């Protein structure tokens, strides 16, 4: 596909997603704005450039190596980089060197390395790294689930809030596979409300993807993370 055709395709998809978001906000009777993070994992730098040109300000990635390379290659675009993938504690400080928001913090063990990485990346500036606590919406015995149990959230939030170079932004979650996302996003809204009671500035609720952004917005999502509805089907994982 030529760059012009790809630009047109992305523009059309992006317009449709923005329309869905606007309609969901209206249907929910909300008058605030919902932020869009376009998840560009598996797609090339050229797509990130086209998206930036089409007005996208926030992009998400879920694998450290790919994210790190793309963020470096696209440093001139002024985008905000969201890390949304599983985090190993030995990679956490490296992720902090390019990410603006780390959305997938699900255990206290990650806080120290993230705080160190955030402190090292830009010693001159006062820039802090925004962190979201990833909350599990799966049954406690589900295989391969990511995220902290709701009961673990307060302690994890305290640890993030106490780290000098991190800012607690709120919560993030992925709806359980193959289940109605509504009840899960409702539980997330309760977790987020409890968090705000002790951390009033932690207002972000990052929830909703290509298939369920309407349900997330109806349950108060402040940000949606959309990949395939904008970029198309992801290439097969090698
Ligand atoms: C890939 C991914 C998304 C985007 O998923 P789509 O269904 O392609 O919109 C959102 N959040 C996370 C954490 C992801 O890994």
């Amino acid at each position: 596909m030529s760059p012009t055709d790809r630009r047109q395709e992305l523009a059309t998809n992006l317009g449709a997603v923005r329309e869905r978001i606007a309609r969901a906000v209206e249907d929910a009777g909300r008058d605030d704005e919902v932020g869009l993070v376009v998840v560009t994992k598996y797609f090339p730098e050229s797509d990130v450039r086209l998206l930036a040109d089409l007005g996208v300000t926030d992009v998400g990635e879920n694998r450290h190596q790919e994210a790190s390379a793309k963020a470096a290659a696209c440093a001139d675009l002024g985008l905000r980089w969201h890390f949304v993938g599983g985090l190993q504690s030995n990679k956490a400080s490296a992720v902090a060197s390019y990410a603006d928001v780390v959305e997938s913090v699900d255990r206290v063990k990650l806080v120290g390395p993230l705080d160190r990485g955030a402190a090292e990346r830009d010693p001159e500036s006062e820039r802090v790294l925004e962190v979201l606590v990833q909350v599990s919406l799966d049954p406690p015995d589900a295989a391969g689930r990511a995220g902290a149990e709701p009961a673990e959230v307060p302690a994890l939030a305290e640890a993030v809030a106490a780290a000098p170079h991190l800012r607690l932004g709120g919560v993030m979650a992925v709806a359980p596979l193959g289940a109605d996302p509504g009840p899960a996003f409702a539980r997330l809204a309760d977790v987020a409300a409890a968090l705000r009671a002790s951390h009033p500035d932690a207002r972000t609720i990052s929830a909703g993807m290509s298939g369920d952004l309407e349900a997330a917005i109806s349950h108060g999502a402040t940000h949606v993370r959309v990949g395939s509805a904008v970029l198309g089907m992801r290439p097969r994982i090698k």
Side-chain angles (χ1 to χ4, degrees):
M1 190 182 294
S2 78
T4 324
D5 290 349
R6 181 59 169 158
R7 187 181 197 283
Q8 188 53 52
E9 179 176 63
L10 292 178
T12 303
N13 292 347
L14 202 53
V17 166
R18 286 184 173 138
E19 184 71 27
R20 282 175 63 191
I21 293 171
R23 185 160 309 149
V25 167
E26 194 181 314
D27 287 350
R30 293 172 53 171
D31 56 10
D32 55 341
E33 299 226 330
V34 169
L36 170 63
V37 177
V38 178
V39 181
T40 49
K41 64 191 184 199
Y42 305 115
F43 287 94
E45 177 199 337
S46 54
D47 281 347
V48 178
R49 293 193 169 274
L50 291 171
L51 290 168
D53 193 48
L54 292 166
V56 169
T57 56
D58 289 72
V59 292
E61 289 284 336
N62 74 336
R63 297 184 304 176
H64 166 57
Q65 273 198 318
E66 179 183 352
S68 151
K70 248 185 256 178
C74 296
D76 57 308
L77 300 177
L79 293 166
R80 276 167 65 77
W81 291 83
H82 296 241
F83 191 82
V84 302
L87 257 181
Q88 292 166 276
S89 46
N90 63 347
K91 301 273 170 60
S93 71
V95 168
S97 70
Y98 57 84
D100 298 287
V101 187
V102 178
E103 300 205 6
S104 42
V105 175
D106 63 357
R107 54 198 190 282
V108 171
K109 207 180 162 194
L110 297 170
V111 173
L114 281 173
D115 190 52
R116 273 197 302 284
E120 280 163 13
R121 64 179 179 173
D122 207 353
E124 298 293 295
S125 88
E126 297 287 298
R127 190 150 159 246
V128 295
L129 175 64
E130 181 172 343
V131 163
L132 306 184
V133 171
Q134 184 173 356
V135 181
S136 170
L137 301 177
D138 290 312
D141 54 351
R145 84 209 144 76
E149 288 302 314
E152 298 166 345
V153 171
L156 182 48
E158 282 311 324
V160 172
H165 305 283
L166 305 181
R167 186 171 80 72
L168 177 65
V171 295
M172 179 274 245
V174 178
L177 263 181
D180 178 3
F185 290 141
R187 291 203 301 283
L188 180 65
D190 289 344
V191 173
L195 180 66
R196 278 197 308 275
S198 44
H199 301 275
D201 294 332
R203 327 191 120 268
T204 297
I205 302 177
S206 171
M209 320 201 308
S210 295
D212 58 17
L213 68 88
E214 286 84 0
I217 289 171
S218 79
H219 290 285
T222 63
H223 291 74
V224 294
R225 307 176 308 272
V226 179
S228 48
V230 172
L231 288 141
M233 291 263 283
R234 280 185 280 280
R236 280 224 166 265
I237 304 171
K238 286 185 283 268

